[in-house]
Amino acid sequence: SEMCIRDRDMIAQTPLGVSVPVRIWREGQVRQLLIPIEARPGGVISEPPLPPPPLTLSPENRYELNGQRALTRWGLRVMDLTEQLADFFGVQRGVLILEVMPSGPAARAGARAGDVIVGVGSAPVRTRSDLLRALRSLSGDAVTLRIVRERKPLLMTLSLH
């Protein structure tokens, strides 16, 4: 991808001993690492390095990162349902649980990948944005999710403690 080529070029032009910022995705979170440049294979251009670009997030990326943090806090990775998936799961709209982090709040409550979140408390959840909005507005450390599992409605209480 374009990002990989830019990063490769930045690393190739960085002098030995200098650390390069690298963003990775691990365990449902974006993490930033500083990787020291210690050695290179032969044949890499040794021109003076360009200064690394400033590490800034666009408002959209910041919103997405904060949203992912909110979901990770509850131990979930989710996606919006397409119309075909909604039909398959027997719901009109909702958010599909793609992954439940082991020993997180969602796992302790019994959530499973394949469950569809259709509500948080009394608020309906049609999209991932609805879910994030509902989770951000919580005042306590527990939340009741309305889910559909194998076309049957269930209530599930997730607790951070």
Side-chain angles (χ1 to χ4, degrees):
S1 76
E2 180 182 5
M3 182 64 136
C4 292
I5 292 169
R6 188 184 73 203
D7 290 348
R8 183 195 66 206
D9 291 344
M10 180 179 72
I11 291 168
Q13 295 173 4
T14 301
L16 296 178
V18 174
S19 293
V20 176
V22 177
R23 279 183 278 195
I24 63 168
W25 178 271
R26 180 175 291 157
E27 298 175 355
Q29 291 184 330
V30 173
R31 295 182 184 185
Q32 183 150 338
L33 305 173
L34 283 174
I35 307 294
I37 304 300
E38 296 178 349
R40 289 192 182 89
V44 175
I45 299 172
S46 60
E47 295 177 7
L50 298 172
L55 297 173
T56 57
L57 291 174
S58 68
E60 297 82 17
N61 288 343
R62 185 173 291 117
Y63 179 81
E64 176 61 28
L65 182 58
N66 289 337
Q68 188 54 52
R69 283 186 187 137
L71 291 170
T72 300
R73 177 177 184 224
W74 294 100
L76 294 169
R77 195 165 64 88
V78 301
M79 69 173 262
D80 286 337
L81 285 178
T82 63
E83 195 173 313
Q84 289 179 346
L85 282 173
D87 186 51
F88 175 82
F89 287 105
V91 296
Q92 289 186 347
R93 295 293 304 263
V95 176
L96 178 64
I97 297 177
L98 295 174
E99 182 179 7
V100 177
M101 285 33 162
S103 72
R108 288 193 306 267
R112 297 182 200 159
D115 289 346
V116 178
I117 302 170
V118 295
V120 173
S122 61
V125 170
R126 293 177 188 86
T127 65
R128 188 172 183 273
S129 293
D130 291 345
L131 176 62
L132 293 173
R133 198 171 11 267
L135 292 176
R136 284 191 185 112
S137 69
L138 293 174
S139 57
D141 289 341
V143 61
T144 299
L145 297 182
R146 289 183 286 122
I147 68 167
V148 173
R149 177 182 293 159
E150 297 173 3
R151 297 182 172 254
K152 295 179 183 125
L154 296 171
L155 290 177
M156 186 174 294
T157 300
L158 281 61
S159 175
L160 290 174
H161 300 292

